Amino acid sequence: EPRSRSKEVRLSGDAHTFVSANVVCVNIAGDGCPDLSLVDLPGLIQSTENKDDEGDIGRVEELVRSYLASSETVILQCIASDEDLENQSIRKLARDVDPEGKRSIGVLTKPDKVDIGCEDAIVSILKGEKYPLAQGYYVVRTPKQDELNKLKESDANVSAFEEARSIENDFFHFHEVGRVFYQHAPERCGSAKLLYKLSSMLQTMIDEHIPVIKAKAEMSL
């Protein structure tokens, strides 16, 4: 468990827009914590409630693109399992900045919303038969709001993380829809599999950047 936590809040911007390049930054330090940054970006939008706010559409895309453009960034394309992938702008945006897909991973969320009998569409994506991606797609099941509320009231001796993973594990092994995904693509189901893949990708990217870092260090001497 992290031994210390610090929160830094930096917010500013136009009062007439909800988009800002500033961030809410939470620093977590402790034994076993990896040295990396996780950025939760706003979802791309296609329309706004009011015409006066339509400029936010471009501002959100510009903000997201600025983070994805870095060659040191792993892109997680998070898409709800019950939504049509062809309508997801993040796929094209990721392809623009990462045409070979070396640092892009597809993450299908909310698999419990998939109707019984419609599992084949998700299975074909997980197996790379549809919407192929170099690093492939993973499906994860995170706790819903009522489950989160229960986690807050659960036994203090059991971490919320462990409880969440237990809920996910039960979904892929016992839920009528979830177990279909697991039966056909077990290596693509669950947060643990996604984390393992991310760790592998990050290590590969670090190894590729070591010569560049070494060269820069030698030039500064």
Side-chain angles (χ1 to χ4, degrees), residues 32-154:
C33 290
D35 184 16
L36 56 83
S37 298
L38 177 64
V39 182
D40 184 11
L41 295 168
L44 298 172
I45 57 176
Q46 302 300 319
S47 63
T48 58
E49 182 178 357
N50 303 308
K51 183 174 179 60
D52 292 343
D53 298 328
E54 288 183 350
D56 287 340
I57 298 174
R59 281 188 282 269
V60 170
E61 180 173 336
E62 182 181 359
L63 175 64
V64 173
R65 187 182 292 273
S66 69
Y67 279 92
L68 304 193
S70 172
S71 62
E72 298 178 0
T73 297
V74 173
I75 303 171
L76 295 183
Q77 303 177 31
C78 297
I79 303 170
S81 297
D82 61 337
E83 295 184 359
D84 190 343
L85 265 68
E86 291 182 355
N87 294 330
Q88 305 305 311
S89 301
I90 184 59
R91 295 180 60 245
K92 181 181 183 305
L93 192 56
R95 188 183 300 154
D96 288 345
V97 299
D98 180 32
E100 295 183 5
K102 290 183 177 181
R103 54 189 181 87
S104 298
I105 298 180
V107 181
L108 301 178
T109 64
K110 303 178 182 178
D112 49 310
K113 287 191 172 184
V114 176
D115 293 331
I116 296 174
C118 298
E119 304 92 344
D120 288 350
I122 299 299
V123 170
S124 63
I125 294 173
L126 296 176
K127 296 174 71 174
E129 297 170 350
K130 292 182 63 178
Y131 307 104
L133 199 58
Q135 304 294 348
Y137 284 83
Y138 289 78
V139 58
V140 300
R141 202 291 202 180
T142 55
K144 294 180 285 189
Q145 188 58 53
D146 62 325
E147 293 169 333
L148 287 173
N149 294 336
K150 291 179 181 179
L151 290 180
K152 295 177 182 179
E153 304 169 358
S154 63

Side-chain angles (χ1 to χ4, degrees), residues 113-198:
K113 287 191 172 184
V114 176
D115 293 331
I116 296 174
C118 298
E119 304 92 344
D120 288 350
I122 299 299
V123 170
S124 63
I125 294 173
L126 296 176
K127 296 174 71 174
E129 297 170 350
K130 292 182 63 178
Y131 307 104
L133 199 58
Q135 304 294 348
Y137 284 83
Y138 289 78
V139 58
V140 300
R141 202 291 202 180
T142 55
K144 294 180 285 189
Q145 188 58 53
D146 62 325
E147 293 169 333
L148 287 173
N149 294 336
K150 291 179 181 179
L151 290 180
K152 295 177 182 179
E153 304 169 358
S154 63
D155 187 346
N157 293 322
V158 179
S159 73
F161 178 83
E162 292 173 336
E163 286 283 1
R165 296 291 70 77
S166 177
I167 291 172
E168 182 180 54
N169 184 65
D170 287 347
F171 172 78
F172 287 119
H173 284 84
F174 304 113
H175 190 278
E176 191 165 357
V177 171
R179 64 187 181 189
V180 173
F181 301 152
Y182 191 81
Q183 288 170 357
H184 290 85
E187 73 285 357
R188 295 281 171 175
C189 295
S191 300
K193 302 295 176 57
L194 174 60
L195 288 173
Y196 181 83
K197 176 63 175 180
L198 283 172

Side-chain angles (χ1 to χ4, degrees), residues 10-40:
R10 293 177 284 158
L11 292 174
S12 65
D14 187 344
H16 301 291
T17 178
F18 74 90
V19 183
S20 172
N22 295 292
V23 300
V24 175
C25 180
V26 179
N27 297 315
I28 301 178
D31 294 337
C33 290
D35 184 16
L36 56 83
S37 298
L38 177 64
V39 182
D40 184 11

